[in-house]
């Protein structure tokens, strides 16, 4: 178990913002390079089936330009498998995907889909990708993840984060205990344990303190919070440019 926990920065929502205008700005690759310069240990990007944020060309540019490992999130479909086998990213994280959802709402159903997932994972592992499964903190799913040949499990922290935000202290505590138990359980199976979804400045502490969790992947909050932490600088610069042009 390493002393330091890695931070994977998910840059999907820079692409969401870009796509709102249909142009090239803001560029998620520029955000990834800045994230690396700021101390990110890796970059995560989710190429959704509907390409609602990250596009194929973003993944290709990330592969070329970033210097930290790319964690390529995708659904377990033939199309995505072909893309991953072509690009061979450092890690492939399999997530459930539903067209109508706003974000990845639940964990992957591994226990009920073992034969298919084992076959799906095998060529990715042979190509040298570390295969991670995004799962609920549930012993059944973790045992199945081990059996299908995953190297990593990423525990879904969304429920804990939601209870925390609602101020439901008891439920948040119970979720945290479940995550703690499952982190140890998965670690003892020989799986590397990651965590993610919904993490913020306010709720990250207890998860960051768990020695079994080697990596946290954080996206939406970091991009959202950057609006508030960057807005002052950007508006001041625009004011100055306007003023300078008048002088
Ligand atoms: N980990 C996985 C597997 C995810 O699907 C997501 C969301 O795309 C995250 C982490 C990051 O979640 P958030 O954007 O809420 O920080």
């Amino acid at each position: 178990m390493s002393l330091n926990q890695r931070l994977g920065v998910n840059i999907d929502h820079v692409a969401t913002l870009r796509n709102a205008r249909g142009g090239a700005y803001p560029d998620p690759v520029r955000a990834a390079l800045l994230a690396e310069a700021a101390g990110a240990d890796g970059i995560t990007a989710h190429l959704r089936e509907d390409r609602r944020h990250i596009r194929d060309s973003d993944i290709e540019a990330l592969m070329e330009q970033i210097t930290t490992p790319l964690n390529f999130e995708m659904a377990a479909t033939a199309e995505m498998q072909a893309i991953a086998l072509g690009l061979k990213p450092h890690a492939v994280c399999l997530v459930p995907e539903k067209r109508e959802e706003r974000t990845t709402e639940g964990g992957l159903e591994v226990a009920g889909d073992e034969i298919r997932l084992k076959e799906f994972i095998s060529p990715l592992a042979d190509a040298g990708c570390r295969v991670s499964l995004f799962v609920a903190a549930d012993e059944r799913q973790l045992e199945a993840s081990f059996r299908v040949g995953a190297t990593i499990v990423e525990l879904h922290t969304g429920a804990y984060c939601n209870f925390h935000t609602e101020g439901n202290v008891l439920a948040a505590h119970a979720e945290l205990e479940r995550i703690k138990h499952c982190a140890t359980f998965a670690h003892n199976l020989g799986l590397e344990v990651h965590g993610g979804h919904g993490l913020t400045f306010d709720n990250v502490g207890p998860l960051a303190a768990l020695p079994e969790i080697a990596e946290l992947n954080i996206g939406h909050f970091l991009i959202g919070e950057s609006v508030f932490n960057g807005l002052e600088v950007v508006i001041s610069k625009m004011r100055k440019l306007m003023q300078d042009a008048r002088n």
Side-chain angles (χ1 to χ4, degrees):
M1 250 177 271
S2 95
L3 267 185
N4 288 326
Q5 190 176 53
R6 293 194 303 274
L7 169 63
V9 173
N10 178 317
I11 42 86
D12 291 349
H13 295 299
V14 179
T16 303
L17 206 54
R18 173 195 62 193
N19 297 356
R21 276 291 174 98
Y25 185 87
D27 177 11
V29 180
R30 181 176 163 200
L33 298 176
L34 260 179
E36 288 182 323
D41 302 291
I43 300 298
T44 295
H46 183 178
L47 184 66
R48 292 187 77 103
E49 196 189 359
D50 62 8
R51 312 300 200 265
R52 70 173 72 156
H53 39 55
I54 293 292
R55 298 173 182 149
D56 301 58
S57 55
D58 295 323
I59 297 290
E60 286 156 23
L62 287 167
M63 285 287 298
E64 274 170 26
Q65 294 182 49
I66 66 173
T67 51
T68 58
L70 176 67
N71 179 32
F72 177 47
E73 271 185 35
M74 61 180 222
T77 64
E79 183 203 11
M80 289 300 153
Q81 189 192 47
I83 293 172
L85 288 174
L87 293 172
K88 299 187 179 56
H90 172 84
V92 168
C93 179
L94 300 182
V95 301
E97 212 176 281
K98 289 192 224 110
R99 233 164 228 282
E100 63 279 12
E101 71 188 356
R102 271 199 224 143
T103 179
T104 315
E105 281 159 11
L108 195 66
E109 177 53 48
V110 187
D113 199 13
E114 281 192 44
I115 296 170
R116 187 181 79 92
L117 283 173
K118 194 171 183 172
E119 275 176 21
F120 189 88
I121 289 170
S122 161
L124 293 167
D126 289 347
C129 302
R130 306 187 81 215
V131 178
S132 168
L133 302 180
F134 188 46
V135 291
D138 173 342
E139 287 186 10
R140 253 181 79 242
Q141 301 296 346
L142 299 172
E143 282 170 337
S145 298
F146 176 72
R147 284 195 296 267
V148 299
T151 307
I152 303 163
V153 281
E154 179 167 331
L155 300 177
H156 198 309
T157 57
Y160 155 71
C161 295
N162 287 341
F163 287 134
H164 191 279
T165 306
E166 289 162 12
N168 191 340
V169 180
L170 281 180
H173 180 74
E175 266 302 311
L176 194 58
E177 288 303 313
R178 213 150 68 94
I179 292 170
K180 268 190 203 172
H181 169 79
C182 282
T184 307
F185 185 83
H187 179 77
N188 290 341
L189 284 174
L191 293 162
E192 184 172 309
V193 186
H194 297 177
H197 210 279
L199 295 170
T200 68
F201 288 155
D202 289 338
N203 61 28
V204 73
L207 288 163
L210 296 183
E212 291 84 2
I213 300 191
E215 177 175 311
L216 292 177
N217 284 304
I218 311 183
H220 185 260
F221 172 78
L222 291 178
I223 305 308
E225 186 63 12
S226 306
V227 172
F228 302 113
N229 269 307
L231 203 55
E232 225 177 307
V233 177
V234 175
I235 291 175
S236 305
K237 182 166 175 182
M238 184 58 80
R239 263 279 36 117
K240 183 172 179 312
L241 284 172
M242 289 163 65
Q243 201 62 51
D244 290 353
R246 289 265 175 163
N247 290 341

